[in-house]
Amino acid sequence: MLGFLNIGVFQALLFVAAYRLPGGVAATVGAIQPLVVVMLSWAVLGARTSWLSWIAAVSGMLGVALLVLGPAAKLDGLGIIAAAGGALAMACGTLLTKKWQPPANALVLTSWQLSVGGLFLLPLALSVESLPQSINLTQVLGYLWLGLIGTGLTYVFWLRGVMRMSASAVTGFSLLSPLSATVLGLVVLDQQLSGLQSVGMVLVLTGVWLGQYKMTAAVAPVTTEVRP
């Protein structure tokens, strides 16, 4: 189930959304994931969610919208559905990982999920795509980056965080992806940041910080005074 949700469904819908939507729209729709996690934790799992969790999720989502969603953004119905479905699948997979706490370390858990998700996607890929006639070195390096770094290593870190932190705190970090892209645009491509984008950056960082503040406050050690 975890491999199906986290890899099979999420990865497929992620690339459908990336192909059919501008990056800003896809990132904005994907930013609903922390809010979905908070809602499902409260409604389905009966978890106690503080008002800080709700504020963090909404703040992060609005921040991403201001950061990357421009007036020229084009909307595509199927792309929107794919982005929202991918966020929902990943949110459910994160919550179930936290609920079940599989008896394996993050590396083993990632390996099994990638294997199951890949087997699920294989017949779908072969049914809609033909095998490439040739693959050059650039394409090989691109696949290695996407497979080993962009998927394998990041999922190890992600699942390790899920097993050690609250689900809402971990999903809050997903908001740093569009923020990182914006910062790289400023540094590498010499892009300019508008006033609204600056506000969006502050909201994203506020949402992530509130999510982590809630977690650290919950696990803060309690000291007791020992008297003779």
Side-chain angles (χ1 to χ4, degrees), residues 186-228:
L186 293 173
V187 176
V188 179
L189 303 178
D190 197 26
Q191 296 176 345
Q192 300 298 318
L193 202 64
S194 67
L196 284 178
Q197 286 178 312
S198 300
V199 174
M201 183 177 293
V202 172
L203 286 175
V204 170
L205 292 174
T206 300
V208 174
W209 178 78
L210 284 176
Q212 307 315 304
Y213 175 80
K214 171 185 171 295
M215 184 196 69
T216 53
V219 300
V222 178
T223 58
T224 57
E225 182 181 356
V226 179
R227 298 184 178 180

Side-chain angles (χ1 to χ4, degrees), residues 61 64 79 90 103 122 126 153 156 188 195 209 215 217:
M61 184 175 63
V64 170
M90 191 64 180
L122 181 60
L126 294 177
L153 183 61
V156 171
V188 179
W209 178 78
M215 184 196 69

Side-chain angles (χ1 to χ4, degrees), residues 38-200:
V38 173
M39 293 176 63
L40 290 179
S41 297
W42 169 71
V44 178
L45 301 181
R48 297 178 60 184
T49 55
S50 69
W51 58 273
L52 277 180
S53 298
W54 295 92
I55 293 177
V58 173
S59 174
M61 184 175 63
L62 292 177
V64 170
L66 292 176
L67 193 62
V68 298
L69 190 59
K74 298 180 180 179
L75 301 180
D76 176 83
L78 184 58
I80 294 291
I81 293 174
L88 179 61
M90 191 64 180
C92 291
T94 300
L95 281 174
L96 290 177
T97 303
K98 187 67 179 177
K99 178 180 175 62
W100 289 337
Q101 288 288 325
N105 61 47
L107 181 60
V108 173
L109 189 58
T110 300
S111 301
W112 277 108
Q113 289 192 48
L114 288 173
S115 300
V116 172
L119 290 174
F120 166 75
L121 289 174
L122 181 60
L124 296 178
L126 294 177
S127 66
V128 299
E129 292 285 349
S130 59
L131 295 176
Q133 299 298 322
S134 61
I135 300 179
N136 58 39
L137 179 60
T138 301
Q139 293 168 335
V140 170
L141 294 176
Y143 276 114
L144 287 175
W145 175 267
L146 287 175
L148 298 178
I149 307 299
T151 304
L153 183 61
T154 53
Y155 265 100
V156 171
F157 290 152
W158 179 269
L159 292 174
R160 188 175 185 273
V162 171
M163 290 187 285
R164 291 170 176 259
M165 303 161 60
S166 68
S168 59
V170 176
T171 51
F173 281 113
S174 63
L175 301 174
L176 295 178
S177 180
L179 178 63
S180 301
T182 302
V183 172
L184 286 174
L186 293 173
V187 176
V188 179
L189 303 178
D190 197 26
Q191 296 176 345
Q192 300 298 318
L193 202 64
S194 67
L196 284 178
Q197 286 178 312
S198 300
V199 174

